[in-house]
Amino acid sequence: MSLDDSWYTEQWAEQGSAISLKLAKKLHHEQSAYQRIEIFETETFGTLMTLDGLVMVTDRDNFVYHEMMSHPALFTHPDPRRVLVIGGGDCGTLREVLKHAGVQLAEQVELDERVTRVAEQFFPELCASNRDPRARLHFADGIQWIADSAPDSYDVIIVDSTDPVGPAAGLFSEEFYQHCHRALGPDGVLVGQSESPLFHADLIVAVQTRLRAAGFADSATLFFPQCTYPSGWWSGTLGCKRGTGCGFRVGDAARKSFTTRYYNAEIHAAALAAPEFLRERLVAR
Ligand code: SAM
């Protein structure tokens, strides 16, 4: 079967699979200093942003990813006030972080300012909290930022990055996690997007191993659907400085004071359940 130009197709050649979205029209195209940024209007998934030909965000399903990259980590920390988002240029994760009334400062360090400027234009609802007085947007390399951060600067660090290649590769390294460990307070929690459980199980195991080696007492992976990412199944991995098993404030999550479309306390608990093929490898770690 061949797909014509009215379809956007992202192929994962080594997996012999792909995703296609029917397009209505192309809205924007530019080559920034770091990557090719494209915006499309799709027939059924709303607006689509791709970076170097890889799906980052669609209107229709981004809520699952953004809510799962933010609320589990914030409800794992006992009292998150200072939050750092690394990457996250579409600003959807930042918006979710700022739903927590206790957050006093939410900094975002995105490498490519153009991603955020384009998101402001084409995804205004994701950028709705960018002018919140608690938000600070920086445009810099998150690896250098965290290496330069003073000890006990943040309560939660969220790594909302592209795939572990190019400038994002270092965001998955043990050295980076060591810097994050130092930059976090004593109850500090880190969460990083950790790719597909089906396609990238080795990466999830490596991320948990590196987090432990970097000094995090506990690590745990959250599993959730993300239908426009490779395999349709995605993950975020937590590192917790305190040895609390990455347990979370169940009652506070159940009584959360803001609305979500995917996240709730039951979803959080269920997302922490590892599938059998990975549980064996994570236990053996
Ligand atoms: N939800 C997406 C996913 O998993 O496919 C990630 C979205 S967000 C747009 C990823 C961002 O990470 C990109 O805008 C990219 O510029 C940024 N990024 C990559 N490497 C970075 C680094 N070293 N420091 C800061 N931001 C980085």
Side-chain angles (χ1 to χ4, degrees), residues 34-35 49 51 54-57 65-66 69 86-91 93 109-112 115-116 140-144 160-163 165-171 193 195 229 234:
Y34 300 98
Q35 52 214 341
M49 176 193 276
L51 296 181
L54 302 176
V55 172
M56 291 293 125
V57 178
Y65 176 85
H66 289 138
M69 288 301 295
I86 294 179
D90 56 70
C91 301
T93 297
V109 180
E110 160 62 52
L111 185 64
D112 188 349
V115 174
T116 298
D141 183 352
I143 299 167
Q144 194 59 47
D160 180 1
S161 71
T162 39
D163 297 339
V165 290
L171 297 170
Q193 77 88 1
E195 308 277 299
Y229 287 175
W234 214 243

Side-chain angles (χ1 to χ4, degrees), residues 47-239:
T47 309
L48 160 70
M49 176 193 276
T50 66
L51 296 181
D52 285 340
L54 302 176
V55 172
M56 291 293 125
V57 178
T58 79
D59 275 336
R60 190 167 179 184
D61 73 343
N62 78 78
F63 66 98
V64 179
Y65 176 85
H66 289 138
E67 292 179 15
M68 292 306 284
M69 288 301 295
S70 51
H71 304 308
L74 270 83
F75 280 120
T76 298
H77 191 282
D79 184 20
R81 293 165 187 228
R82 306 162 299 168
V83 180
L84 174 67
V85 180
I86 294 179
D90 56 70
C91 301
T93 297
L94 182 69
R95 182 185 69 168
E96 295 304 314
V97 166
L98 288 162
K99 288 181 177 176
H100 291 250
V103 169
Q104 296 170 349
L105 174 69
E107 290 190 278
Q108 177 163 285
V109 180
E110 160 62 52
L111 185 64
D112 188 349
E113 180 170 358
R114 288 304 304 156
V115 174
T116 298
R117 300 303 169 219
V118 169
E120 285 169 344
Q121 186 179 351
F122 293 100
F123 294 89
E125 65 297 340
L126 296 184
C127 298
S129 299
N130 287 7
R131 293 183 194 280
D132 185 302
R134 300 170 293 159
R136 304 252 191 296
L137 269 60
H138 309 281
F139 298 102
D141 183 352
I143 299 167
Q144 194 59 47
W145 183 277
I146 209 69
D148 295 341
S149 293
D152 194 1
S153 294
Y154 301 105
D155 300 313
V156 173
I157 297 174
I158 299 173
V159 188
D160 180 1
S161 71
T162 39
D163 297 339
V165 290
L171 297 170
F172 294 77
S173 72
E174 186 180 324
E175 186 186 2
F176 170 73
Y177 296 143
Q178 284 168 354
H179 289 305
C180 289
H181 188 273
R182 195 199 63 247
L184 284 164
D187 292 309
V189 176
L190 175 146
V191 66
Q193 77 88 1
S194 49
E195 308 277 299
S196 160
L198 193 66
F199 288 177
H200 313 112
D202 290 351
L203 179 79
I204 294 173
V205 174
V207 165
Q208 286 217 21
T209 304
R210 289 171 199 162
L211 284 167
R212 302 282 185 122
F216 287 89
D218 278 318
S219 56
T221 296
L222 300 151
F223 300 91
F224 50 90
Q226 195 61 37
C227 69
T228 55
Y229 287 175
S231 84
W233 190 22
W234 214 243
S235 71
T237 295
L238 294 156

